[in-house]
Every structure is written in structure tokens, then in C-alpha cells.
Amino acid sequence: FDKLRNMVMEKQFRERARSELREIRNQVLSLARDRDIYWKLERDVIERNPQLHGVRNAFLDMVRAAYADAMATRVLRLLDADNTDLSLRRVLTELEDYPHLLHDKVSEREFADDRAELDRAADNLKQVLNPHFAHHERTLSALASTHRELDQAIDAIISTLKTYYWIVADAYLDFEVTYPEDPLAIFQFPWIKPELVS
């Protein structure tokens, strides 16, 4: 009876975990797209324009800070083991109850290392968040450590998602960033029309 109950519980966990990991993948792919667009903006628009590159601008400061804050909030939510909605860390904690699912796929040490890497990513991101709220901390150079920790956390989440979705669902998750149209096309025309300027 216990064996049958365990099999049913495992089947239910796999179905729930598969569904949650797919939804987490959708959120992470959205993070990856936003990251790609942000860096395209910095690299292909701001750096190439002498009127923008290296110039302090309240609008760009706001965009940079908003990007860092919003992305960090979204990443930390996915790494919060106590989050009852969608949390990669919580799914991995629940996976601990089904160690035979990991058999021949990852070792106990690798499983522990993967969870520790996500915890480290969350801790490192929290540590760099506090200083950049002041106006003078919104420059690209001031936000460099936040951007670095964001990128490392997103990359760690993607790698972990690929591994554990394969373990739970025996399938592959794709994280290729694509767009239906050029996301920077809006910068190919003036935003402020002369007749609208008073």
C-alpha cells in the first residue's frame, strides 16, 4: 500500500513540477528578452550616439534604475524558497522528497551544489541592491555590480531549469531569445514631434 501511495505522490509531484517549471521558464524567457533589449539599447543606441554616450541624463538614469530594480525583484521572486506561487528554489526543495528521480542523472553533491548556487545568486543580488537607490548611483558604472549579479543569477536559473526540467519531464526547455520585429525600431524616428513642442 505504501509503495502504491508513494508512486501516486511521485506522479502528482512530477506533473505539478513539470507544469511549474514550464511556467517558470516562460517568466525566465521574459527576463532574458528584457535583458537582451536593455543591453541592445545601451550598446546599439546610447553608446553609438555622442549626444547620449557618457552624458548624465535624468531619463536614462530612471530607465537604468527601473531596469535594475524590476529585474532584481522578478529574479528574487523566482529564487525565494518560501514563495508559494512560482519559485524554482521551492520546486527543488520539494524534489528532495523524491531522491530516486535524480538517480543516474545528477549526484547528491551536484544537486546540493545547484541549490547552493541559486541561494548564492539570491544573496549576492540582495547585497548589491541597496546602494543604487540614490540619484548619483543610477549611472551605468554605479549599477555595474547589480547588472553583473543579475546576469549571473539569470544564467544560473536558466542552467538549473534546463537540468531539472530534463530530470522531471525528460524533455528540453528552449531559452532562445527572438522577436517578431526589431525592438529598437522605435528609435528610428523622433519621439517628440516639433509641432507638439510648446
Side-chain angles (χ1 to χ4, degrees):
F1 179 74
D2 284 345
K3 185 176 180 183
L4 179 62
R5 188 183 63 175
N6 289 343
M7 286 173 61
V8 169
M9 288 175 61
E10 178 189 313
K11 184 178 182 217
Q12 290 172 340
F13 167 75
R14 284 176 79 121
E15 288 172 2
R16 188 177 73 252
R18 189 181 307 125
S19 174
E20 286 186 36
L21 292 174
R22 273 197 306 263
E23 184 55 37
I24 291 169
R25 177 261 183 196
N26 293 341
Q27 292 193 17
V28 174
L29 186 55
S30 175
L31 285 166
R33 277 191 202 107
D34 289 352
R35 172 174 67 172
D36 188 62
I37 291 171
Y38 175 79
W39 288 112
K40 281 178 186 295
L41 172 70
E42 288 287 358
R43 184 184 60 245
D44 299 344
V45 177
I46 297 169
E47 280 185 22
R48 292 183 181 183
N49 188 328
Q51 291 179 286
L52 297 174
H53 184 63
V55 174
R56 287 304 305 271
N57 177 276
F59 177 78
L60 292 179
D61 286 351
M62 180 272 300
V63 167
R64 288 169 174 151
Y67 167 81
D69 293 343
M71 291 288 280
T73 299
R74 293 162 67 194
V75 167
L76 289 172
R77 191 178 305 126
L78 293 173
L79 295 177
D80 181 359
D82 297 325
N83 185 351
T84 56
D85 291 327
L86 288 175
S87 163
L88 177 58
R89 191 60 184 84
R90 182 181 47 74
V91 172
L92 294 186
T93 299
E94 292 172 359
L95 184 56
E96 277 184 284
D97 295 335
Y98 305 94
H100 56 283
L101 290 178
L102 306 173
H103 186 64
D104 293 335
K105 295 184 176 176
V106 294
S107 68
E108 285 183 34
R109 177 80 255 154
E110 289 169 322
F111 184 47
D113 288 347
D114 289 340
R115 287 176 294 150
E117 182 180 9
L118 293 179
D119 292 341
R120 247 188 330 274
D123 290 342
N124 292 345
L125 191 51
K126 288 175 189 173
Q127 285 178 8
V128 297
L129 277 180
N130 293 335
H132 76 253
F133 286 105
H135 178 71
H136 65 280
E137 294 294 340
R138 292 176 157 194
T139 64
L140 195 56
S141 59
L143 289 170
S145 58
T146 303
H147 289 150
R148 183 177 56 253
E149 296 303 335
L150 269 172
D151 287 343
Q152 288 177 358
I154 292 168
D155 292 340
I157 291 171
I158 289 172
S159 174
T160 305
L161 263 174
K162 285 179 176 180
T163 299
Y164 291 93
Y165 189 77
W166 169 67
I167 288 170
V168 169
D170 197 26
Y172 176 75
L173 288 176
D174 178 33
F175 289 90
E176 183 182 357
V177 173
T178 60
Y179 307 99
E181 71 280 326
D182 179 6
L184 299 184
I186 62 166
F187 293 110
Q188 295 174 356
F189 55 85
W191 284 17
I192 300 178
K193 298 290 186 182
E195 64 270 18
L196 298 179
V197 178
S198 55

